[in-house]
């Protein structure tokens, strides 16, 4: 993504119905909340088979996972998930294998929120605490987008070494890069060292956004997998809010930007220690066995021990042994199918694959070039220019924006499977365009009304969180054919991170060259083009199986 990160995500939690609560016992109601249905869009947007412990001989429906970072290949779901008894587990055993990887997403979001306040502190003659506070627009753009360039590099590098490292080691390395980047940035004696720290932190983002969704998907019980993956995306939003909050507290402190960036250090340390205490992904261990990287029985034994630990069961229990045997059959079959399919890199640019790439790649591209990174990273600066002259006032309003962003994310989580993808995209992108034109109008002739800027920012954030934010990556996870899904999603991730970094870097110089009013006018025009793209090109996938998407839409 990229996760991209952009702060994009894919949300497909099935909303709870009140009549379920009225007509069911509490036990049955809670069970229904977490029991996936093969006919729901929610299930289709989450990877159950290849990443979970579902035997391939019981699989039927294809599914895939969408995230702000690297997404997993898809497979096929059990013939009748409802007929198979759900895997037993205790919530206490599920929490830690979810929390520690999800901290990688929180640290990514934190960087976005903290940078908003840090750029104000860093450029202040009175508050910077440095002699090099007078940054040029290009230098400021490098400070802001440095972590995104690192994320772009990290997501590119990890593609070729992910299977060698494994999810657990990948996340441990990511936590180390987060820790090192936070320390170097917070203690930087000059701009060059600061930029080095930002780059290292970004490398951590790239690895974490790839490894976290995979580890969570491969280790959690299938009946709550979709819920946990979606909640992991919410950690990004929580990180943004935390960054805004820390910025608000530290904005009046001399050298406050150092504390804002350095705050990530203890969180990164907690993430690293937590991942060190967790076992490797059982599915990754089985994959290494199938790839011939070691003795099959040795890796099977390791996988059984890992699964038993993840579920809080005694080592070598019969249930873990059965699940590992089923998973091994699934991984073997999937690996053999991939070897037989062959194919080449250019295949993703041909026929139905090209149509899928146009839809998925177009969504994640417009997600960024409508100004999303700039509005988030520069929220403090925009508010300060719009009338909140004190840096503290600007950062406090940023906190309000962060809370609103969190609330609107929950709206998207609850409604995406009820209303469908297209209605939320069309309505949300329309609101984005209106908000950008309002920002332009404020800078042109509404300067005496600072609440216009606040309202426009809130409108932008709210509309983004119910449209481009979650739905772009949900659509990406649904739209690519099984054969090219891995390569297609990788291209979407690179497109997302690359366009994010370019827009973030270009915002400050373009604002200087065009003026804020013309820059937001340009973003508004791009938003109108993206709205046209959604109306004419993007299909509705609600209620369709992945087979139906491939046969009815792509062909």
């Amino acid at each position: 993504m990229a996760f991209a990160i952009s702060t994009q995500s894919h949300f497909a939690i099935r909303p709870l119905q009140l009549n379920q609560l009225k007509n069911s016992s509490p036990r049955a109601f809670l069970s229904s909340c977490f029991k996936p249905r093969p006919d729901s869009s929610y299930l289709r947007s989450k990877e159950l088979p290849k990443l979970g412990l579902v035997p391939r001989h019981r699989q039927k429906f294809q599914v895939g996972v969408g995230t702000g970072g690297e997404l997993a290949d898809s497979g096929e779901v059990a013939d009748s998930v409802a007929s198979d008894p759900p895997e037993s587990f205790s919530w206490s055993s599920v929490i830690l294998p979810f929390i520690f990887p999800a901290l990688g997403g929180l640290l990514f979001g934190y960087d976005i929120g903290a940078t908003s306040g840090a750029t104000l502190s860093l450029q202040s003659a009175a508050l910077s605490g440095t002699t090099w506070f007078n940054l040029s627009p290009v230098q400021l753009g490098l400070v802001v987008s440095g972590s995104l360039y690192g994320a772009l590099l990290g997501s590119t590098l990890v593609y070729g070494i992910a299977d060698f490292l494994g999810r657990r080691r990948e996340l441990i390395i990511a936590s180390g890069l987060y820790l090192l980047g936070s320390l170097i940035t917070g203690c930087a004696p000059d701009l060059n060292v600061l930029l080095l720290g930002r780059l290292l932190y970004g490398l951590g983002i790239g690895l974490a956004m790839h490894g976290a969704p995979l580890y969570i998907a491969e280790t959690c019980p299938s009946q709550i997998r979709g819920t946990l993956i979606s909640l992991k995306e919410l950690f990004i939003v929580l990180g943004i809010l935390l960054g805004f909050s820390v910025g608000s507290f530290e904005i009046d402190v001399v050298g406050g930007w150092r504390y804002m960036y350095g705050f990530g250090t203890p969180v990164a340390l907690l993430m690293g220690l937590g991942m060190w205490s967790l076992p490797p992904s059982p599915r990754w261990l089985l994959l290494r066995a199938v790839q011939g990287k070691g003795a099959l029985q040795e890796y099977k034994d390791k996988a059984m021990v890992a699964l038993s630990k993840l579920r809080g069961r005694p080592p070598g229990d019969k249930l873990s042994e059965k699940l590992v045997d089923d998973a091994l059959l699934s991984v073997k079959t999937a690996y053999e199918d991939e070897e037989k399919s062959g194919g080449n890199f250019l295949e993703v640019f041909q026929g139905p694959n090209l149509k899928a790439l146009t839809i998925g790649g177009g969504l994640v591209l417009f997600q960024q070039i409508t100004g999303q990174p700039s509005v988030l990273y520069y929220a403090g600066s925009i508010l300060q220019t719009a009338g909140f002259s004190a840096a503290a006032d600007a950062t406090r309003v940023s906190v309000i924006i962060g809370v609103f962003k969190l609330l609107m994310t929950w709206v998207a989580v609850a409604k995406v499977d009820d209303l469908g993808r297209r209605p939320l995209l069309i309505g949300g992108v329309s609101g984005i365009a209106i908000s950008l034109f309002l920002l332009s109008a404020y800078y042109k002739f509404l300067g005496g009304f600072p609440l216009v800027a606040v309202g426009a920012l809130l409108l932008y954030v709210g509309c983004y969180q119910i449209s481009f934010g979650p739905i772009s990556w949900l659509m990406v996870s649904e739209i690519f054919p099984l054969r090219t899904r891995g390569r297609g999603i990788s291209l979407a991730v690179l497109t997302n991170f690359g366009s994010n970094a370019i827009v973030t870097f270009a915002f400050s110089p373009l604002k200087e060259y065009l003026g804020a009013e013309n820059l937001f006018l340009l973003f508004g025009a791009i938003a109108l083009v993206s709205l046209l793209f959604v109306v004419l090109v993007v299909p509705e996938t609600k209620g369709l199986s992945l087979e139906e998407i491939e046969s009815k839409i792509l062909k």
Side-chain angles (χ1 to χ4, degrees):
M1 85 256 106
F3 163 200
I5 125 148
S6 134
T7 59
Q8 36 311 188
S9 12
H10 15 278
F11 303 85
I13 297 178
R14 180 161 50 89
L16 310 179
Q17 303 298 327
L18 290 178
N19 62 349
Q20 289 179 277
L21 184 58
K22 294 176 181 176
N23 301 324
S24 304
S25 66
R27 181 184 182 90
F29 173 69
L30 288 175
S31 175
S32 70
C33 294
F34 296 110
K35 190 172 186 179
R37 303 193 320 246
D39 62 335
S40 69
S41 300
Y42 152 69
L43 179 60
R44 288 193 305 276
S45 69
K46 308 299 167 197
E47 165 115 4
L48 296 183
K50 290 178 65 180
L51 293 181
L53 301 176
V54 179
R56 191 175 181 87
H57 61 273
R58 295 203 305 260
Q59 297 170 0
K60 180 177 179 182
F61 297 95
Q62 296 177 337
V63 292
V65 173
T67 77
E70 174 67 318
L71 306 183
D73 293 339
S74 67
E76 303 170 342
V77 179
D79 226 354
S80 177
V81 177
S83 64
D84 288 335
E87 180 188 353
S88 61
F89 67 94
S90 65
W91 277 101
S92 59
S93 67
V94 169
I95 292 174
L96 294 183
F98 163 74
I99 289 290
F100 292 129
L103 288 178
L106 185 140
L107 285 168
F108 171 53
Y110 177 79
D111 181 68
I112 297 172
T115 296
S116 177
T119 52
L120 297 178
S121 175
L122 186 60
Q123 295 181 94
S124 170
L127 299 175
S128 173
T130 69
T131 57
W132 39 277
F133 59 86
N134 190 21
L135 302 179
S136 69
V138 172
Q139 289 173 328
L140 180 61
L142 286 173
V143 170
V144 173
S145 61
S147 63
L148 293 178
Y149 288 122
L152 180 62
L153 178 61
S155 62
T156 304
L157 293 176
V158 78
Y159 181 80
I161 61 174
D163 284 343
F164 168 74
L165 290 176
R167 310 349 174 182
R168 174 177 173 268
R169 279 189 291 185
E170 185 179 346
L171 288 168
I172 291 174
I173 294 172
S175 67
L177 290 168
Y178 275 141
L179 179 66
L180 193 59
S182 296
L183 286 174
I184 291 177
T185 305
C187 301
D190 56 48
L191 179 62
N192 292 330
V193 176
L194 174 64
L195 294 177
L196 174 63
R198 299 288 291 144
L199 183 67
L200 289 173
Y201 194 98
L203 285 172
I205 292 175
L207 268 65
M209 290 302 98
H210 176 272
L214 287 180
Y215 187 88
I216 294 171
E218 291 181 3
T219 58
C220 71
S222 61
Q223 60 264 43
I224 60 169
R225 180 176 287 119
T227 299
L228 293 185
I229 291 175
S230 296
L231 287 177
K232 173 259 169 190
E233 296 302 327
L234 284 180
F235 265 60
I236 297 176
V237 180
L238 287 173
I240 295 173
L241 179 57
L242 179 62
F244 283 152
S245 301
V246 173
S248 177
F249 282 115
E250 300 292 342
I251 192 63
D252 292 325
V253 178
V254 175
W257 61 273
R258 297 185 184 275
Y259 299 104
M260 296 177 203
Y261 282 133
F263 185 83
T265 302
V267 183
L269 181 61
L270 177 63
M271 175 187 171
L273 293 175
M275 289 307 307
W276 189 272
S277 69
L278 294 175
S281 159
R283 182 188 179 277
W284 174 76
L285 291 169
L286 296 177
L287 178 63
R288 298 298 282 172
V290 171
Q291 291 174 334
K293 303 301 181 181
L296 177 62
Q297 189 59 46
E298 178 185 354
Y299 275 105
K300 274 189 64 177
D301 291 341
K302 288 181 179 180
M304 281 188 284
V305 171
L307 183 59
S308 297
K309 184 176 180 180
L310 287 166
R311 297 294 181 270
R313 296 192 286 258
D317 66 289
K318 293 298 183 183
L319 178 57
S320 295
E321 183 177 356
K322 179 183 182 301
L323 290 171
V324 166
D325 285 338
D326 287 343
L328 179 60
L329 176 62
S330 177
V331 171
K332 265 185 179 178
T333 309
Y335 188 75
E336 290 169 359
D337 287 349
E338 288 173 6
E339 283 193 323
K340 291 176 184 177
S341 65
N344 55 69
F345 179 79
L346 295 179
E347 185 181 15
V348 77
F349 299 102
Q350 300 168 355
N353 302 304
L354 178 60
K355 185 173 182 179
L357 182 61
T358 300
I359 296 169
L363 283 173
V364 295
L365 177 65
F366 281 120
Q367 181 190 67
Q368 301 303 314
I369 63 175
T370 49
Q372 182 270 150
S374 304
V375 173
L376 287 176
Y377 278 107
Y378 291 93
S381 300
I382 292 171
L383 291 168
Q384 197 174 31
T385 306
F388 296 87
S389 56
D393 292 337
T395 53
R396 290 186 185 109
V397 177
S398 293
V399 173
I400 297 174
I401 292 176
V403 172
F404 183 68
K405 182 180 179 71
L406 184 64
L407 293 175
M408 295 305 295
T409 300
W410 279 111
V411 173
V413 168
K415 292 299 181 183
V416 65
D417 281 333
D418 284 347
L419 299 178
R421 285 67 162 146
R422 275 176 59 87
L424 287 176
L425 278 172
I426 292 172
V429 175
S430 299
I432 286 174
I434 293 172
S435 67
L436 289 168
F437 288 133
L438 279 175
L439 281 172
S440 176
Y442 172 79
Y443 283 106
K444 278 183 178 294
F445 48 79
L446 296 177
F449 303 93
L451 289 180
V452 171
V454 178
L457 283 175
L458 289 174
L459 179 62
Y460 185 97
V461 168
C463 290
Y464 177 85
Q465 286 307 127
I466 64 170
S467 59
F468 276 148
I471 297 177
S472 292
W473 288 106
L474 174 57
M475 290 289 295
V476 164
S477 73
E478 295 175 329
I479 202 67
F480 283 102
L482 174 63
R483 180 180 173 90
T484 59
R485 181 162 295 137
R487 283 167 286 172
I489 291 174
S490 295
L491 288 175
V493 169
L494 292 175
T495 300
N496 187 268
F497 268 131
S499 55
N500 187 314
I502 291 171
V503 171
T504 303
F505 173 77
F507 180 84
S508 190
L510 284 175
K511 185 179 176 183
E512 187 83 9
Y513 180 73
L514 297 175
E517 64 277 11
N518 292 323
L519 179 57
F520 285 113
L521 189 64
L522 173 62
F523 282 145
I526 295 174
L528 290 180
V529 175
S530 69
L531 177 61
L532 191 64
F533 173 81
V534 170
V535 171
L536 298 180
V537 178
V538 177
E540 178 58 73
T541 58
K542 186 188 82 165
L544 296 178
S545 70
L546 296 186
E547 294 89 351
E548 289 173 327
I549 292 174
E550 185 169 348
S551 62
K552 295 181 179 180
I553 295 178
L554 298 181
K555 295 180 180 178

